[in-house]
Amino acid sequence: MSEAEFCEACDEPAHKTVLLNDTVRIIRVQFPPKHVTLFHRHQLDSFYIHLKTAHLRNDVVGKDAAELSLNFGGCAYGAHESAPFVHQITGLDDIGWDCIDGELLAKPPSVAPAALLHDDYEQILSGERVRMYKVSVAGGASVGPVNHEFYSVVTMLADGNVEGSLAPDGAKSFSVGECAWVAPGPFTLKNNGTEPFVVYITELL
């Protein structure tokens, strides 16, 4: 397949850049049921967070098509710089698709010497350039301050109203799939709602 027949992932119409800096490009991938994307290339190391449960077909150029059953809250890491690929995704159900694709553009200005160990942080993913933690805060409860020695992207896995590091100017409401860039320092999170508020914190290495 020639380069004229595919685009880069960030240029595919269902892929919208929602956060961009020198270190990372966060892409929100959303499309309706039965949608077929353009062929597009992934050539940057990336992390993925699934925001829906869905059934998809993955057509990778040069390989047999594969059907994927992906669950809400699933996550993955792809070392695409060493193994870039071009593919097309097709929705096979009546749900559509929604996920975060975090492209790693450069090393962060600093990294932590070791993984974070804290009772409120569950490490759910480890890759060459990322570590990912799940933090769930019960209604009315708080977490922190927890010392983050790393730069991170925080992705919301629940709707809610919170205070703390994600809302430095006062209480703020977030929806599933929103992302925030967080620099090193003390991290706090207070859940003002009655339902659990869940975030995935992706530490950049």
Side-chain angles (χ1 to χ4, degrees):
M1 176 176 284
S2 71
E3 292 200 6
E5 296 177 278
F6 64 84
C7 59
E8 299 301 330
C10 61
D11 295 323
E12 203 285 324
H15 295 58
K16 307 295 185 185
T17 298
V18 295
L19 188 159
L20 177 64
N21 57 35
D22 292 340
T23 304
V24 69
R25 177 192 290 116
I26 302 301
I27 300 170
R28 182 90 179 256
V29 186
Q30 294 177 293
F31 56 74
K34 312 298 184 183
H35 180 78
V36 181
T37 70
L38 302 179
F39 279 99
H40 54 282
R41 178 167 62 183
H42 293 271
Q43 59 177 343
L44 296 170
D45 294 342
S46 302
F47 64 88
Y48 300 91
I49 299 172
H50 308 152
L51 302 175
K52 277 188 176 181
T53 294
H55 188 203
L56 309 172
R57 185 173 70 240
N58 185 21
D59 290 288
V60 178
V61 173
K63 297 184 178 181
D64 293 335
E67 293 191 9
L68 307 175
S69 293
L70 303 175
N71 295 318
F72 175 83
C75 57
Y77 175 77
H80 304 323
E81 289 187 12
S82 59
F85 65 95
V86 174
H87 75 154
Q88 180 182 64
I89 295 292
T90 302
L92 298 178
D93 54 29
D94 295 322
I95 298 172
W97 183 230
D98 191 356
C99 80
I100 294 296
D101 173 0
E103 295 187 331
L104 305 175
L105 305 180
K107 290 280 189 180
S110 62
V111 299
L116 176 60
L117 299 177
H118 191 279
D119 288 345
D120 294 314
Y121 284 56
E122 176 191 359
Q123 186 173 338
I124 57 174
L125 179 68
S126 179
E128 182 181 356
R129 296 178 63 185
V130 302
R131 286 188 283 255
M132 192 179 295
Y133 308 91
K134 178 180 179 180
V135 177
S136 181
V137 186
S142 299
V143 168
V146 178
N147 186 30
H148 284 193
E149 297 183 273
F150 50 80
Y151 289 84
S152 65
V153 176
V154 178
T155 303
M156 317 307 155
L157 272 288
D159 300 336
N161 182 274
V162 302
E163 298 176 33
S165 300
L166 300 179
D169 298 323
K172 183 176 179 180
S173 294
F174 288 96
S175 298
V176 171
E178 290 191 75
C179 295
W181 173 255
V182 178
F187 181 84
T188 62
L189 183 59
K190 178 185 177 184
N191 181 2
N192 292 327
T194 58
E195 298 298 320
F197 187 74
V198 181
V199 297
Y200 284 6
I201 299 175
T202 304
E203 173 188 356
L204 305 177
L205 302 175

